[in-house]
Amino acid sequence: MLFRIKSFFNLKLSIVILLSIGIKTNAQDNRSFQVFQFPANKIPTIDGNSEDWKIVPNNYVVGMDQLWDDSGKQPNADPKNLDVSVKVGWVKGLNRLYFLYEAYDDYWDFSLPGLHNDTFELIVDADQSGGPFIDRFHPNPNLTNTMDAYFSYHGVHAQNYHIFTPAVEKDWTMVWGSQPWIKNLPYANASYHYDFKPGQSGKLTLEFWITPFDYAGNDPSRAVESILTENKNIGLCWAIIDYDDVHKTENNGFWNLSKEHKMYGNASYSLPFKLMPLENQFKKDIEAKWSHKIVNMNKKEVAFFDESEGEIDSWNWDFGDGTTDTTQNPIHRYKEAGKYIVILKIKGSKGTSQLSKVWDVAVK
């Protein structure tokens, strides 16, 4: 009887341990990353040249130390076999994500016309809506693997780009879904630089930008771009599919940023990337900025919004009609129809600044 009790206890303990291991293996990790904000006058040119990216600090780099080969073929990263670094950037006011992909590979495989190609597979879920987004993962089994699911569901709320590294005699990427239009201008652009041939070793530089979408179906007229704003988290993930032999159908490694292999079709397994403010070296100590909105055209009522940067102690608005206001975000009612020159002057411990806009404010 005592042996049976001990055996039963050991069995329960083993189950608990196995479950714990399973939970730890499948649980999403708590890593987070940063997206560098390019100043408006330093937007990178998409030409395959990494020079524009030298202003990006090293803490924005995502390297091989953050990846793991979940195919089990490569237990450890070996820079003599494959060495990859990725930087991600954005520009305030543009709904674009910029990428610099730099990679050394001891065998570049890109001679075939299909998917057998060294690949940077990128997952984008900019509104962090999460959940599955490829047809065979559809929650309704009646729609699984049907063309209905492909056209109405696949890639709609999150997008999957199979980016060929490099792309020779084929499009730069395959968009896995019914929205191939998102890989073309005005929604995306890409450029490469490399000097190797298929089967050779060498370094590749890939520079590209894409437009993320909250909704992207087959019909671009119905698409909804993701709005990128400062300090917002977006969902990103990627994998490097490394082929080392043109005659083998299987890859030589699937280097994944996520701890979940199925991140390629389930946005819940992406990781948070924060859209960072400008680095201090690119900021002015104090800078006046403002916008406005017509609240009521019949009453000639306009709301003004202070968007200035820096430490500010006082605001002075000149509405262009002989009146002023010292509140930060005033609402002003004009007496006469017209086009006005509005000026905002700000003052702080580090100086003064002002911004005038000529005839932006007009009421009738």
Side-chain angles (χ1 to χ4, degrees), residues 112-177:
L112 300 179
L115 280 175
H116 183 109
N117 196 124
D118 286 333
T119 302
F120 178 49
E121 185 173 8
L122 173 66
I123 309 302
V124 184
D125 179 29
D127 64 354
Q128 292 191 308
S129 53
F133 63 94
I134 68 171
D135 51 10
R136 69 171 179 262
F137 291 169
H138 198 291
N140 183 350
N142 294 323
L143 288 175
T144 302
N145 288 328
T146 72
M147 293 309 292
D148 284 344
Y150 183 77
F151 280 99
S152 65
Y153 178 76
H154 196 130
V156 168
H157 79 85
Q159 293 81 51
N160 178 311
Y161 298 79
H162 276 66
I163 303 169
F164 302 118
T165 55
V168 175
E169 298 180 339
K170 66 177 75 172
D171 259 350
W172 71 281
T173 183
M174 180 205 76
V175 172
W176 195 12

Side-chain angles (χ1 to χ4, degrees), residues 52-67:
D52 295 339
W53 293 78
K54 287 185 176 179
I55 64 173
V56 181
N58 288 334
N59 58 292
Y60 287 88
V61 177
V62 182
M64 293 295 293
D65 60 320
Q66 297 293 336
L67 307 180

